[in-house]
Amino acid sequence: MSPTLSHKDSSRQRRLGPMNHCLDMKSGSLPPGTWEAEQLADGVGGEGDNEALLLATGARSPRGPRGYRAELSNILLLLFLYVLQGIPLGLAGSIPLILQSKNVSYTDQAFFSLVFWPFSLKLLWAPLVDAVYFKSFGRRKSWLVPTQYILGLFMIYLSTQVDHMLGTADGGSPDVVALTLTFFLFEFLAATQDIAVDGWALTMLSRENVGYASTCNSVGQTAGYFLGNVLFLALESADFCNKYLRFQPQPRGIVTLSDFLFFWGTIFFITTTLIALLKKENKEVTPSKEETKGITDTYKLLFTIIKMPAVMTFCFMILTAKVGFSAADAVTGLKLVEEGVPKEHLALLAVPMVPLQIILPLIISKYTAGPQPLNVFYKAMPYRLLLGLEYALMVWWTPKVAYQGGFPLYYYIIVLLSYALHQITLYSMYVSIMAFNAKVSDPLIGGTYMTLLNTVSNLGGNWPSTVALWLVDPLTVKECVGASNQNCWTPEAIELCKKLGGSCVTALDGYYVESIVCVIIGFGWWFFLGPKFKKLQDEGPSSWKCRRDN
């Protein structure tokens, strides 16, 4: 519904991009050492790489068993690094709501949604991060330190330019192209930092405590996303601050995006300097037999996996399975803002969802731990499709319950209940896919195999969301009222209608057309391709085993 209320199929996002960029790939913290802890460690915006890396690791330490208290400083450092990682994710998730409040087109929103793709595509450069480094400085610090320095300096510089990009400084229109390019680079750097931190977690913690890495991942990224999205949107809103935090009203919020970027840029810069100077990498680690020999070997392995018939079928199925949810996930939150719901109120609705998001994976994993995890995916899909229609009905109902510039309490309760039901279906499908990916991955190359499957799963949520946003404007029909023989088919025609004293009125909102079409496509997929998708879990182990030369 909003960058905070959505699910990240995408993308750790993470989701929480308008209804889609984050929550589909988000899970709560789980007990370390459990299967779920290793497989579901995909915080806000995560792409499953951490789960894969945990499975892939064969690192072992010559020391004896160690309790978590002996490594508490390392655990806290990992937690902090994941919090830092969540800040760019949260900020990027807040921009679509800010743009929507400035009345940008849905075509522009679709263009900006490309910002959430780097976390789904990081498999393309992850082998490079693993293979190229300065041994004297440290394998992970060779990438972590420069990446976080660039992130910090980039945020400080961006704090001087973002008001102009948003049109706040001069009262103009937002420069969507500049914002998209800027935040795409922003997310690319955050994704690279994620690769380095995930890898460092495996050697920073002993084998006995490596399960805590998944908890740090989930809790840290969730906390970082909360700071960069929910907290920022609340403190940036003049209405929210005047109502709840001030005695004397002011024309602006307590913080601005420029202030927020400068503050966190400084934090990135200072903490990265301390890590570079004070933290040493653990060199007493025996490489895993699973590790590939180099960059070329890794890319060849990925190509070998994706050519397998069973994997190709899975990729086709998962890349098309989420089309039916795209309108509800990507557009609903923006439509609610368009209808007058304050963006900070939508963001705050995510707070009571946190306990549910922690509990759901634990409950659902009990039903996906058997030999047929995709049954849960298949059973949850029609309910999630029907909730898409309920979302459309909620958007239609929103302006009818508005009063005195606000909305009654019962309206927010209904929105919250709708979102909670959506989360149940979303997590049922998410946990099911993660369990299936773990079940079929070849154990000899489990890390690379699972990361590839998770990447494809994330792309299956990203591209439909971008297309859904892009199609809203072309599917919308507007009429020129007050000026004869005019239409509103093009921007030029809209301006002419206004000059002649008319106004463009929406006769048919493309969102409703899209919602119905998406649900029809979704049920078509469920009826015709769903049974074939379930049959993939009946394939023998040989269908998923990768043959490669040693």
Side-chain angles (χ1 to χ4, degrees):
M1 288 176 128
S2 76
T4 309
L5 289 187
S6 67
H7 117 99
K8 155 173 213 246
D9 263 332
S10 47
S11 107
R12 199 174 300 209
Q13 298 288 232
R14 140 303 349 275
R15 47 134 201 75
L16 314 173
M19 279 311 294
N20 172 278
H21 296 136
C22 297
L23 287 185
D24 274 32
M25 296 305 297
K26 176 182 174 182
S27 67
S29 58
L30 302 175
T34 63
W35 178 89
E36 291 84 356
E38 296 191 358
Q39 299 306 321
L40 300 177
D42 222 1
V44 178
E47 307 310 322
D49 299 63
N50 191 47
E51 298 90 339
L53 285 166
L54 288 174
L55 286 176
T57 183
R60 56 183 181 271
S61 170
R63 303 184 185 94
R66 306 176 66 189
Y68 77 92
R69 294 181 184 277
E71 297 185 287
L72 186 59
S73 60
N74 287 338
I75 292 173
L76 292 176
L77 175 60
L78 274 180
L79 181 64
F80 180 72
L81 289 174
Y82 281 119
V83 170
L84 291 182
Q85 189 182 117
I87 299 296
L89 295 171
L91 284 173
S94 69
I95 297 299
L97 293 183
I98 296 175
L99 292 177
Q100 192 67 13
S101 66
K102 295 179 178 292
N103 300 315
V104 303
S105 69
Y106 283 93
T107 303
D108 288 336
Q109 291 280 15
F111 186 66
F112 186 82
S113 71
L114 296 175
V115 163
F116 301 98
W117 284 56
F119 265 88
S120 292
L121 298 174
K122 64 185 178 183
L123 179 65
L124 298 178
W125 68 93
L128 187 67
V129 176
D130 278 335
V132 179
Y133 57 93
F134 296 103
K135 188 174 182 180
S136 58
F137 189 54
R139 182 178 185 181
R140 304 304 175 185
K141 285 173 62 179
S142 295
W143 287 92
L144 178 72
V145 170
T147 298
Q148 289 199 168
Y149 267 135
I150 296 172
L151 266 171
L153 294 174
F154 190 66
M155 292 171 82
I156 293 173
Y157 172 75
L158 186 57
S159 70
T160 67
Q161 304 296 319
V162 71
D163 287 339
H164 296 283
M165 293 181 183
L166 287 171
T168 305
D170 53 9
S173 300
D175 188 343
V176 177
V177 174
L179 283 169
T180 302
L181 294 176
T182 300
F183 276 88
F184 186 91
L185 177 59
F186 204 26
E187 297 303 286
F188 172 81
L189 291 170
T192 304
Q193 190 253 21
D194 182 49
I195 298 168
V197 175
D198 282 347
W200 198 3
L202 303 178
T203 56
M204 187 183 297
L205 301 180
S206 65
R207 183 61 179 168
E208 294 79 12
N209 294 320
V210 75
Y212 284 102
S214 64
T215 304
C216 293
N217 183 311
S218 179
V219 175
Q221 285 201 0
T222 300
Y225 193 94
F226 179 87
L227 293 173
N229 188 283
V230 179
L231 184 63
F232 164 69
L233 287 173
L235 296 181
E236 185 264 350
S237 169
D239 291 338
F240 180 87
C241 293
N242 290 337
K243 186 174 182 180
Y244 299 107
L245 303 176
R246 286 178 174 146
F247 295 106
Q248 295 294 329
Q250 300 291 332
R252 53 189 287 180
I254 293 176
V255 301
T256 64
L257 182 55
S258 177
D259 298 332
F260 202 80
L261 284 166
F262 183 83
F263 172 80
W264 282 106
T266 305
I267 295 296
F268 265 85
F269 195 87
I270 294 173
T271 55
T272 302
T273 301
L274 293 175
I275 290 171
L277 295 176
L278 303 179
K279 182 62 180 176
K280 304 298 182 182
E281 286 196 42
N282 178 17
K283 303 183 186 304
E284 298 178 354
V285 176
T286 304
S288 165
K289 293 181 180 179
E290 183 192 319
E291 288 188 5
T292 51
K293 298 178 181 178
I295 301 174
T296 304
D297 189 34
T298 302
Y299 285 117
K300 286 181 178 179
L301 179 58
L302 290 173
F303 187 65
T304 300
I305 294 171
I306 208 165
K307 287 193 302 181
M308 297 163 57
V311 174
M312 291 186 68
T313 302
F314 171 82
C315 290
F316 171 76
M317 294 287 190
I318 203 64
L319 285 172
T320 55
K322 299 172 186 175
V323 173
F325 317 128
S326 56
D329 287 2
V331 188
T332 300
L334 301 179
K335 276 294 176 183
L336 291 177
V337 174
E338 183 181 320
E339 296 293 351
V341 180
K343 60 183 183 296
E344 63 274 11
H345 289 181
L346 283 181
L348 288 170
L349 287 178
V351 176
M353 288 294 101
V354 172
L356 182 65
Q357 292 165 351
I358 293 174
I359 295 170
L360 278 176
L362 293 171
I363 297 174
I364 297 168
S365 62
K366 295 178 181 178
Y367 300 94
T368 60
Q372 295 186 317
L374 293 182
N375 288 353
V376 175
F377 181 99
Y378 184 77
K379 291 177 181 177
M381 187 172 183
Y383 295 102
R384 187 173 172 186
L385 290 169
L386 291 175
L387 282 172
L389 292 179
E390 191 268 341
Y391 273 3
L393 182 63
M394 185 169 63
V395 171
W396 171 83
W397 179 59
T398 296
K400 302 182 185 306
V401 296
Y403 76 103
Q404 298 179 354
F407 295 87
L409 178 61
Y410 69 82
Y411 171 78
Y412 288 109
I413 293 175
I414 291 174
V415 172
L416 190 63
L417 290 175
S418 299
Y419 179 52
L421 292 174
H422 177 265
Q423 291 295 285
I424 293 172
T425 60
L426 183 153
Y427 273 94
S428 296
M429 299 179 69
Y430 163 69
V431 176
S432 173
I433 289 295
M434 293 300 298
F436 178 76
N437 290 351
K439 173 178 176 286
V440 302
S441 294
D442 188 338
L444 293 178
I445 47 173
T448 303
Y449 206 129
M450 266 200 71
T451 302
L452 174 62
L453 296 182
N454 292 335
T455 296
V456 175
S457 298
N458 291 325
L459 288 175
N462 277 11
W463 78 263
S465 295
T466 297
V467 173
L469 287 165
W470 181 78
L471 286 175
V472 173
D473 286 336
L475 292 174
T476 297
V477 178
K478 293 185 177 182
E479 296 177 347
C480 182
V481 178
S484 59
N485 299 321
Q486 299 298 320
N487 61 62
C488 298
W489 296 346
T490 63
E492 293 77 14
I494 293 174
E495 289 298 322
L496 181 58
C497 174
K498 292 179 180 179
K499 287 181 180 179
L500 295 176
S503 61
C504 288
V505 177
T506 301
L508 179 64
D509 195 324
Y511 166 69
Y512 300 114
V513 176
E514 204 172 88
S515 295
I516 294 172
V517 171
C518 283
V519 170
I520 292 173
I521 292 174
F523 272 108
W525 189 98
W526 181 73
F527 186 78
F528 293 105
L529 297 181
K532 296 180 180 179
F533 190 55
K534 285 202 303 178
K535 285 185 179 179
L536 285 174
Q537 58 196 352
D538 297 328
E539 295 278 352
S542 59
S543 299
W544 304 97
K545 189 175 179 63
C546 181
R547 296 179 177 84
R548 63 168 181 161
D549 297 330
N550 293 325

